[in-house]
Amino acid sequence: MNSSTEADHGAASSDDAAVAGAPEKASAAVPGPPEPAERGVPKWRRTLRPYLLIVPALLLTGGILYPFGLGLYYTVFDFAASKPQPDFVGLENYRRIFTDSSFWDSAWVTVLYAVGAAAVETVLGVAVALLLHRSTLVGRVLEKVLILPLMIAPVIAAIIWKLMLQPSVGVVNYLLRPFGLGGVQWTDTPTGALLSSIAVDVWVYTPFVAILALAGLRSLPASPFEAAAVDGAGWWFTFRKLTMPMLWPYVLVAVIFRFMDSLKVFDIIYALTEGGPGDSTVVLQIRAYLEAIRFQRYSFGLSYMIVLWAVVYLAAMVLVRYLGRIQNRAAEVPK
């Protein structure tokens, strides 16, 4: 009896020892931290590597800032083809710009073009995105066709539309002739030229807005719409109270891109109307081109470009700040 008890006690003691030694064996079985892969790399290379990684960014920044600074430098002189030895004039070029009535006319045309194009493209883009959001065969086919205008260079699209809008041989008037609307002078009047330019811009860039809006629609959560459907909410109420408040940050991104791009438009208007008739469609970008290239007043034309850059920069700052507030409101982040 005693021997069996002692045997049991010995077995228990050996088990306890085995359990006690298990952590030590386990810890011994776990491999240590691997040796650094860069142990053989010299220290100076490891120190220099972060700085080498930012070299492309520095080169890109320098490639942007150098011509900008050079152009800003030229604006304080009177460089021109007729004056090979320019003089320092300070801010005289800017004073001439802001006291010239043609500048304010071009600025007004630029604002009309940018606001009109961005507004129409936003409305049509959101409408097209809502139609394509429905999972139908027609919607999937149209989604693939939608990007075709974006694959055409804007200047090529403007030339195509210029031919189509010809009063006598254009296909647009030919299609409208049975309805008694043939022979319209689309680009021969100031209003018609501006509206035609906006229409071409809308045709080219509405798919861009639609694609961004469609991506936003597909990223919205489904639970609020399911709850609204259970409560019997109508389509208009759901769109006004749920869809647009959550979709607006995506739409505003498209508005920012299109508004800034429309402020500095050149290719569409110049290829379609060349700024005419008269100066009715001469925007700031075309005015800068005319002054610097056609009239060869280089410093004066560069001053127009600097003013246009300042306008685009200020507009972008205002819109981006508004976008930040909209995003915070959509995410319910306190200010």
Side-chain angles (χ1 to χ4, degrees):
M1 183 71 179
N2 293 335
S3 61
S4 62
T5 304
E6 292 175 357
D8 294 340
H9 180 70
S13 300
S14 62
D15 293 341
D16 294 340
V19 172
E24 297 178 0
K25 294 180 180 179
S27 61
V30 175
E35 293 185 358
E38 299 181 353
R39 178 164 294 181
V41 179
K43 183 178 180 181
W44 67 271
R45 288 180 58 182
R46 294 198 301 269
T47 304
L48 189 61
R49 183 176 298 173
Y51 300 99
L52 292 176
L53 293 175
I54 65 173
V55 168
L58 292 177
L59 292 176
L60 180 62
T61 304
I64 295 173
L65 293 181
Y66 174 74
F68 177 79
L70 187 62
L72 191 63
Y73 169 76
Y74 284 158
T75 60
V76 297
F77 291 87
D78 57 351
F79 282 96
S82 60
K83 193 166 187 179
Q85 298 297 329
D87 298 324
F88 178 80
V89 295
L91 301 178
E92 177 63 22
N93 288 321
Y94 297 100
R95 188 197 66 79
R96 287 176 55 196
I97 286 176
F98 290 111
T99 57
D100 189 0
S101 60
S102 61
F103 165 77
W104 297 107
D105 294 338
S106 298
W108 176 243
V109 174
T110 303
V111 172
L112 287 179
Y113 183 93
V115 172
V120 176
E121 289 163 9
T122 301
V123 174
L124 290 181
V126 172
V128 171
L130 290 172
L131 293 175
L132 297 180
H133 188 52
R134 301 177 181 272
S135 299
T136 61
L137 178 61
V138 176
R140 289 193 294 269
V141 172
L142 290 178
E143 184 179 350
K144 305 301 184 295
V145 178
L146 187 66
I147 64 174
L148 289 179
L150 293 175
M151 299 170 64
I152 303 175
V155 65
I156 301 299
I159 292 174
I160 293 173
W161 276 97
K162 184 176 183 178
L163 296 175
M164 294 172 60
L165 294 175
Q166 285 292 325
S168 57
V169 298
V171 66
V172 174
N173 279 342
Y174 175 78
L175 295 176
L176 293 177
R177 192 169 298 129
F179 303 97
L181 299 176
V184 178
Q185 306 290 328
W186 295 101
T187 59
D188 292 341
T189 62
T191 302
L194 181 61
L195 293 179
S196 299
S197 302
I198 293 175
V200 176
D201 195 295
V202 168
W203 183 83
V204 174
Y205 290 110
T206 294
F208 171 77
V209 180
I211 290 172
L212 287 183
L214 184 61
L217 284 172
R218 290 177 175 173
S219 66
L220 298 182
S223 54
F225 299 96
E226 294 173 353
V230 170
D231 293 339
W235 178 87
W236 175 245
F237 179 85
T238 303
F239 174 77
R240 187 164 50 91
K241 296 296 184 179
L242 293 178
T243 305
M244 278 310 299
M246 291 189 290
L247 185 64
W248 184 236
Y250 301 92
V251 176
L252 190 57
V253 170
V255 171
I256 291 174
F257 278 104
R258 289 306 312 133
F259 184 72
M260 290 191 300
D261 198 35
S262 298
L263 283 175
K264 52 188 182 64
V265 66
F266 176 84
D267 44 11
I268 291 178
I269 294 181
Y270 193 79
L272 187 66
T273 66
E274 297 185 6
D279 291 343
S280 59
T281 56
V282 174
V283 293
L284 289 175
Q285 190 88 320
I286 295 181
R287 180 70 66 184
Y289 165 79
L290 294 176
E291 294 290 345
I293 305 300
R294 182 171 296 181
F295 305 144
Q296 297 182 340
R297 296 193 286 258
Y298 308 124
S299 293
F300 196 54
L302 281 170
S303 301
Y304 263 98
M305 292 304 301
I306 296 299
V307 171
L308 178 60
W309 169 83
V311 171
V312 175
Y313 179 76
L314 292 176
M317 283 186 57
V318 173
L319 290 174
V320 169
R321 287 185 180 180
Y322 181 65
L323 174 63
R325 291 199 296 267
I326 291 296
Q327 289 176 334
N328 292 338
R329 191 182 308 166
E332 297 183 352
V333 176
K335 295 182 180 180

